Amino acid sequence: MDTLATALIIDDEPDIVELLEITLGRMGLGTIAATSLAQAQKLLAEKEIHICLTDMNLPDGNGLDLVETIQQKYSNIPVAVISAHGTMDSAIDALKRGAFDFVSKPVDLQQLRDLVHSALKLANRIRKPENEINRQANLIGKSEPFIELLDNAEKLARSQAAVFINGESGTGKELIARYIHNQGPRAEQPFIAVNCGAIPSELMESEFFGHKKGSFTGAIADKEGFFQAANGGTLFLDEVADLPLNMQVKLLRAIQEKSIRPVGSQKELPVNVRILSASHKNLLDEVEDQNFRQDLFYRINVIQLDIPPLRERFEDIPLLAHHYLEKLATSYGVRPRELTRSAQEALQVYDFPGNIRELENILERAFAMSDGAKIEPKDLALRRNDSSASLSSGSSLSALETPEYEAGSNLEDYLESIERKVITDALEATRWNKTAAAKNLGITFRAMRYKLKKLGLE
């Protein structure tokens, strides 16, 4: 550990300050102490601080206010909140405001040491160039929803808060979970992904917590469970809403107590895992329908991260398509195939109910079915939906005063002029209400935005 690392301790109880100074000193850290919010803010401005430990209640304010200040001005400094009145609500509030972790008094010294080790790994982590990270993680895009998603994921990587990743099937929830893990202090430790809906109910306890030899028929040897395998790292629970209620109780206890008991064992084993979870179902609806425990919901959903569907990231479709076509060419050992302009446009106005997973399947089929180096719209075999319907579905082209096509003219320019006329008329009819115009034309608002941008009508 770096002997030059400095910890700022903020607490007005001398005994607590002394305990923390001794513990951190034995870990090779230098320490600076403050007894108030104002003094802490002054030290942060004057000194080089690598980690901050603050009490919740201070003489001149709340430690949570300091958390927010550090997030705004010194976001590279991990800050943990220590409280004598440690409640789940307080912990959730601290984590939501940007705290790295939360510790209750009396302080468990081993827990504190683990926290400091993780925090310093985060503070010392050298970040790779963003484009390299994104491409390695198969996270590719430039649209505003995608950039916002990555920004939020990077903020969450600096915390130890439990995160619930919400998104439709095929949006890449596991990719985002891995990204959060790889950008955080646990990056060098295991990432264990579990599909909760794919485990037989009778094997769930053994799969999650492990078992001892002879604990049941077929248990011919000791076996580690998911928690032990992920110890020190991240446990990603995909489709967590599919867990039966009896397993939800046991999972809740493991998360609360930070310990598990293997099947057939009399001893509990301490575990240190960060929980990330995901589901395509609406967990609040599941709670209201009594299919999911409310107390477990609040444990795993300290912070929710929403993944936008592909239809809201239409600008990213050409980049994603190019990436997947390159991968296909490499796997087949042939030269890459390219989308024609019309094929690319067809993809950008398709709704993609199956999201990125469906895009991959469409491109793999088109790659196999195309005859040459170019992929045409017919090769995509897209299912017809509202957004891929032609503009003529909402208006009659025969009613338009369209110029006669002259032989030898550029066909695409001619069709584009008609498209511009149809869209302009629809906008004027609705006083340039884009939503209403899109509805009248039988296309989605997203498709309307794309066409306005393409035609220079924004």
Side-chain angles (χ1 to χ4, degrees), residues 282-320:
N282 186 313
L283 269 194
L284 271 178
D285 290 345
E286 294 297 304
V287 170
E288 289 179 6
D289 294 339
Q290 298 185 344
N291 294 323
F292 200 84
R293 292 181 62 96
Q294 186 177 54
D295 46 8
L296 179 58
F297 169 80
Y298 288 117
R299 281 287 182 179
I300 66 173
N301 192 23
V302 173
I303 302 174
Q304 180 168 309
L305 179 64
D306 295 316
I307 301 185
L310 187 55
R311 59 182 171 274
E312 293 179 7
R313 295 175 48 196
F314 69 94
E315 294 171 85
D316 297 334
I317 290 174
L319 294 173
L320 287 164

Side-chain angles (χ1 to χ4, degrees), residues 80 95 108 114 132 141 152-153 197 227 258 330 337 398 401 455:
L95 292 167
D108 181 305
D114 290 342
E132 182 183 348
N152 289 334
F227 272 85
K258 296 185 177 180
T330 301
R337 292 194 171 103
S398 60
E401 294 182 4
L455 297 170

Side-chain angles (χ1 to χ4, degrees), residues 132-247:
E132 182 183 348
I133 292 172
N134 296 351
R135 185 161 290 277
Q136 288 179 351
N138 281 333
L139 291 170
I140 296 165
K142 63 179 183 180
S143 65
E144 286 185 18
F146 178 78
I147 298 302
E148 183 180 355
L149 171 65
L150 279 197
D151 286 345
N152 289 334
E154 288 174 11
K155 290 175 185 175
L156 294 176
R158 298 197 292 266
S159 166
Q160 294 299 289
V163 177
F164 178 70
I165 302 170
N166 182 54
E168 297 176 6
S169 292
T171 48
K173 295 186 286 293
E174 183 174 337
L175 286 178
I176 288 294
R178 286 184 183 274
Y179 186 73
I180 292 172
H181 170 79
N182 289 333
Q183 295 306 301
R186 297 174 181 262
E188 296 176 2
Q189 301 302 317
F191 175 90
I192 303 297
V194 179
N195 186 334
C196 297
I199 306 170
S201 57
E202 65 273 12
L203 296 179
M204 275 197 171
E205 188 172 359
S206 171
E207 290 294 312
F208 274 88
F209 309 131
H211 64 249
K212 303 296 287 183
K213 178 181 178 181
S215 56
F216 56 85
T217 303
I220 59 175
D222 290 354
K223 179 190 174 185
E224 279 192 343
F226 298 136
F227 272 85
Q228 293 112 307
N231 198 25
T234 301
L235 181 59
F236 173 56
L237 305 176
D238 197 8
E239 300 304 346
V240 69
D242 291 341
L243 286 173
L245 287 170
N246 66 326
M247 190 60 204

Side-chain angles (χ1 to χ4, degrees), residues 2 50 76 78 100 117-129 133 136 154 157-158 178-189:
D2 191 342
H50 299 88
N76 61 318
F100 172 77
H117 277 296
S118 294
L120 289 176
K121 284 181 183 177
L122 178 64
N124 294 330
R125 184 166 173 74
I126 299 173
R127 190 170 173 229
K128 298 175 184 177
I133 292 172
Q136 288 179 351
E154 288 174 11
R158 298 197 292 266
R178 286 184 183 274
Y179 186 73
I180 292 172
H181 170 79
N182 289 333
Q183 295 306 301
R186 297 174 181 262
E188 296 176 2
Q189 301 302 317

Side-chain angles (χ1 to χ4, degrees), residues 230-286:
N231 198 25
T234 301
L235 181 59
F236 173 56
L237 305 176
D238 197 8
E239 300 304 346
V240 69
D242 291 341
L243 286 173
L245 287 170
N246 66 326
M247 190 60 204
Q248 291 178 29
V249 176
K250 295 169 182 175
L251 177 62
L252 175 63
R253 188 180 187 284
I255 295 172
Q256 285 177 330
E257 302 300 324
K258 296 185 177 180
S259 64
I260 54 99
R261 179 179 295 170
V263 177
S265 175
Q266 299 302 313
K267 295 182 179 179
E268 290 203 338
L269 302 176
V271 287
N272 171 23
V273 299
R274 185 184 187 184
I275 299 292
L276 304 179
S277 57
S279 176
H280 73 280
K281 295 180 181 178
N282 186 313
L283 269 194
L284 271 178
D285 290 345
E286 294 297 304

